[in-house]
Amino acid sequence: MFYIHVLRIKCETLPQGDLLRSSDTPSSIIVRSIEFKPTADVGRGSEWHIGNVKNIGEGGVAFAMGRKQAVTVQQFDDSTHDFLEEEAMRAPFTFGVFDEEIQVCGIIRKAGVSQNTSQIANKLATLLNAAPFAERANSIISVEPIQDPVGFIEAIHRSKAVIRFSFTVSRPNPIDVDRLIQGPAKEFTQEVGGETSTIETEGMDLNKDVIEEIANAVAADGEKAAATIRPSEGGLPKRIHITGNPVTEPVEPDPDASILSAVLEGARRAYRRVRRNPVNNG
């Protein structure tokens, strides 16, 4: 068994558009960017690469991502009977699988390469934007960890009352299934030329079931949510957040099946659980 990071990849149109921009769909732009096998400096002079791209069927595109680094290798020369130190190149990497339909990606968690969810998300976003396709479509590709909303929702339902709730939205991404005011808020963000908007409401006792529905959708979309709750009658208000607990999904591959197919199914399974909404993968 191993674990995967579960990331949401979105391709969002920038505010000021070029009339001649590409009409590709968000998913096709992301897939083409993966297939381009880009190279990018992801910070601190570290150069990362995407490679080993292949379609694994079932709407999944698999790839490897990692970096090259020079290391000093200690050797023994049998002819001179001397010990030596020589420079060699190594290339630690991990595998990921992208689902074209729901724009979710599973990345195998691997020490020294992809241990931290936010860091691997940022590296993948930098790599995908290094390909030319998002820019040609006057768009930008974002990669966000999907946050686990369970603890947040449990705290909401345990509380005496929820007195404030807020969540963020980014620019529209056409495949998203919008809930309540998420759709109009995304359109507003686009029209006003913004990158993100925050929606906030206050009241004496907000509807917890509605908050749960929005929290699930927000988490699955890679966005943020927060609430001010009153834990008990007469208790002091407490602020809680949905961020800070990215989903890592356990994967138990079938010995007779592809590991990459197991990663794809694991990412889909995690997305469904967070979204609480069946996804048709046929």
Side-chain angles (χ1 to χ4, degrees):
M1 186 178 74
F2 56 87
Y3 286 84
I4 60 172
H5 303 292
V6 185
L7 312 174
R8 186 72 191 276
I9 306 182
K10 296 182 286 186
C11 184
E12 301 168 337
T13 304
L14 295 172
Q16 282 74 38
D18 180 353
L19 294 177
L20 300 178
R21 69 174 182 263
S22 164
S23 59
D24 289 340
T25 65
S27 284
S28 67
I29 292 171
I30 295 167
V31 170
R32 292 179 71 192
S33 297
I34 294 171
E35 293 173 339
F36 188 75
K37 297 183 179 180
T39 292
D41 184 337
V42 300
R44 298 183 180 180
S46 180
E47 190 176 75
W48 277 59
H49 313 268
I50 285 179
N52 303 68
V53 180
K54 66 177 181 178
N55 191 314
I56 62 170
E58 305 169 344
V61 178
F63 59 93
M65 63 180 293
R67 67 185 185 276
K68 291 192 303 183
Q69 62 180 151
V71 294
T72 300
V73 180
Q74 295 180 332
Q75 303 278 5
F76 180 73
D77 190 321
D78 289 321
S79 61
T80 64
H81 225 253
D82 290 331
F83 291 95
L84 307 170
E85 286 189 341
E86 296 181 351
E87 188 174 272
M89 295 299 296
R90 63 187 296 266
F93 67 94
T94 188
F95 283 106
V97 183
F98 173 67
D99 183 303
E100 297 181 55
E101 182 182 354
I102 55 177
Q103 292 181 204
V104 169
C105 182
I107 302 284
I108 296 177
R109 186 175 178 181
K110 187 176 180 182
V113 185
S114 55
Q115 192 74 9
N116 183 283
T117 309
S118 295
Q119 289 179 6
I120 200 67
N122 290 338
K123 288 178 172 66
L124 182 54
T126 302
L127 280 164
L128 295 179
N129 283 297
F133 308 109
E135 184 179 6
R136 288 177 188 172
N138 190 49
S139 302
I140 188 168
I141 296 174
S142 66
V143 183
E144 299 290 344
I146 291 182
Q147 305 291 340
D148 191 340
V150 171
F152 179 84
I153 291 169
E154 287 177 348
I156 291 291
H157 284 292
R158 284 198 308 265
S159 69
K160 181 65 178 177
V162 181
I163 57 177
R164 180 181 297 168
F165 176 66
S166 64
F167 62 94
T168 63
V169 296
S170 55
R171 292 182 289 265
N173 184 54
I175 72 141
D176 290 333
V177 179
D178 297 312
R179 301 294 186 93
L180 297 174
I181 62 172
Q182 277 185 291
K186 284 174 176 283
E187 294 296 337
F188 165 77
T189 304
Q190 175 78 13
E191 291 298 319
V192 81
E195 294 184 3
T196 60
S197 296
T198 301
I199 314 302
E200 184 172 271
T201 184
E202 295 185 48
M204 296 298 293
D205 188 5
L206 302 178
N207 188 309
K208 295 175 181 177
D209 291 333
V210 174
I211 289 175
E212 177 178 353
E213 180 182 2
I214 297 177
N216 283 326
V218 166
D221 199 27
E223 299 289 349
K224 300 177 177 64
T228 301
I229 61 174
R230 201 174 295 283
S232 58
E233 188 70 46
L236 294 175
K238 178 182 177 182
R239 191 72 168 163
I240 59 174
H241 299 265
I242 207 170
T243 58
N245 190 23
V247 172
T248 53
E249 183 74 4
V251 173
E252 188 79 61
D254 186 328
D256 299 323
S258 163
I259 288 179
L260 296 175
S261 294
V263 171
L264 177 61
E265 181 50 42
R268 287 170 170 168
R269 182 174 62 245
Y271 177 83
R272 293 190 198 104
R273 186 178 64 253
V274 172
R275 189 78 187 200
R276 303 277 180 91
N277 187 34
V279 177
N280 180 10
N281 295 307

